Amino acid sequence: YIPYLKFIEGGTIQIDTIYGKQDYTIDPYTDCGTQVVLKGEGFSKINSKIKGNQYIHLLVDIPRNVSEEYINKLKELETIER
C-alpha cells in the first residue's frame, strides 16, 4: 500500500517482487488500482530460463487513527478543490 500523497505528487517507491525489492517511479496523478507490469520479474516460463512478467496493482494506504486536526485539514483541502 502506498501513501495517497504519492499518487498525487508522484515519486519513487519500493516494490516487493518475488526476487527482492525494486524501486519503481510513480507518475504524478496516478490512479489507485493502476496495474504495473514489471518485465522479467515474474516466474520463469516452463522448460525455459526466460522470466515472465510480474503484475502489481498500486493501492492507496488509508491512514488509521488520524487526529481531528488531520481530518479538518483534509476537509479544508476538499473545499479548495471545489
Side-chain angles (χ1 to χ4, degrees):
Y1 293 95
I2 303 160
Y4 60 86
L5 190 55
K6 282 282 188 210
F7 284 95
I8 297 168
E9 67 180 2
T12 302
I13 60 167
Q14 273 203 336
I15 295 177
D16 290 323
T17 70
I18 59 174
Y19 300 108
K21 295 189 182 294
Q22 177 177 328
D23 287 341
Y24 181 80
T25 302
I26 296 178
D27 293 329
Y29 307 109
T30 296
D31 289 326
C32 179
T34 296
Q35 181 175 285
V36 173
V37 180
L38 302 176
K39 294 185 185 272
E41 293 296 327
F43 290 108
S44 296
K45 297 185 181 198
I46 297 174
N47 298 325
S48 174
K49 293 183 181 180
I50 298 172
K51 293 181 184 175
N53 299 330
Q54 183 172 349
Y55 295 84
I56 297 175
H57 289 94
L58 302 178
L59 301 175
V60 71
D61 182 20
I62 304 296
R64 304 284 191 266
N65 303 321
V66 296
S67 67
E68 191 171 330
E69 178 185 5
Y70 187 91
I71 291 171
N72 289 335
K73 294 285 184 186
L74 287 175
K75 287 179 180 179
E76 189 179 318
L77 286 172
E78 185 178 48
T79 61
I80 292 170
E81 291 177 351
R82 292 182 187 173

